[in-house]
Amino acid sequence: MIVATKAIVFSAIKYSEADLIVSCYTEVAGIKSYLLRGVLKSKKGKLKVSYFQPLTQLELIAEHKNKGTLEYIKEAKVFEPYKTLHTTILKSGLVMFLSEMLKNCIREEEPNKALYIFLENSFNWLDQNEEVANFHIFFLLQLSMYLGFYPDAANIEEKYFNVMEGSFQATNTNDYCLEGAQIESFKLFFNINPETLSSIKLSKTERQNVLELVLSYYSFHVQGYQKPKSLAVLNQLFS
């Protein structure tokens, strides 16, 4: 079946001498993996390697056989050209980290229009704004809403956060209840929007502690979760 769809690149891995295997989140079919034959050596083909950098937004004409095998891209063009996302060191580190997290967490081969729009808008905002030190934490917290495990903030004024249950509570009921400065910093990311992210003032250590909490939360709620390899690079960039 030939489909036309928007897509966001999650990863591109070299396969053999000249091929790429590209993982994309498509608007019409969720996650799809494509085999791009000869793209690393071809200079005249319709597909260019530069199109498949992480988080690039594309328009695709693709062949989907929907048999659980690699699909094929017939045509591709950049839908939303980025100005800064792949050219500034800090944002490149964020792109590496977020694309790895997305590939880790999103595996469904089915459309989710709301999630696609969220991703599209988030990366456009990241590209267009300069104060992005808190963006990855805010993004992951918002992403959990679309993945079905956004924390219950009804009792956010309470001192404990139960990482396993995803809720704030007044008492310590198990080994997964955390309290202290890390939790108070985490609370700052609720009930805000991207435009007010810069109002959250955290030190390097405080930001890393909140991110560790969010990743721990993901580890409880994402089946087969793997700690991102790019985390060390991200922490260095924000040091």
Side-chain angles (χ1 to χ4, degrees), residues 15 21 29 40 42 53-54 60 63 85 109 113 124 151 166 178 183-184 187 193 195 198 206 211 216 224 227 229 236:
Y15 178 74
I21 294 177
L40 296 176
S42 174
Q53 297 182 78
L60 302 180
E63 181 180 358
L85 220 57
E109 289 194 20
K113 180 75 171 180
N124 289 340
L178 304 177
I183 302 306
E184 296 308 309
K187 291 178 180 180
N193 58 59
E195 305 308 323
S198 60
E206 288 170 336
L211 180 58
S216 176
K227 186 176 181 179
K229 297 177 182 177
Q236 284 186 336

Side-chain angles (χ1 to χ4, degrees), residues 5-12 22-27 34 48-60 73 76-83 85-87 95-96 98-99 102 116 119-120 123-124 126-127:
T5 181
K6 289 194 291 183
I8 298 172
V9 178
F10 282 0
S11 69
V22 176
S23 175
C24 293
Y25 189 67
T26 69
E27 187 177 32
Y34 300 96
K48 302 182 185 300
V49 175
S50 60
Y51 292 172
F52 301 100
Q53 297 182 78
L55 304 188
T56 300
Q57 296 180 37
L58 301 173
E59 287 184 317
L60 302 180
I73 296 174
K77 64 179 181 180
V78 176
F79 174 70
E80 193 75 41
Y82 295 133
K83 296 180 176 64
L85 220 57
H86 296 126
T87 55
V95 166
M96 186 187 309
L98 294 177
S99 60
L102 288 167
Y116 191 90
L119 296 177
E120 195 174 58
F123 303 141
N124 289 340
L126 180 60
D127 182 56

Side-chain angles (χ1 to χ4, degrees), residues 21 37 167:
I21 294 177
R37 291 195 180 277
S167 60

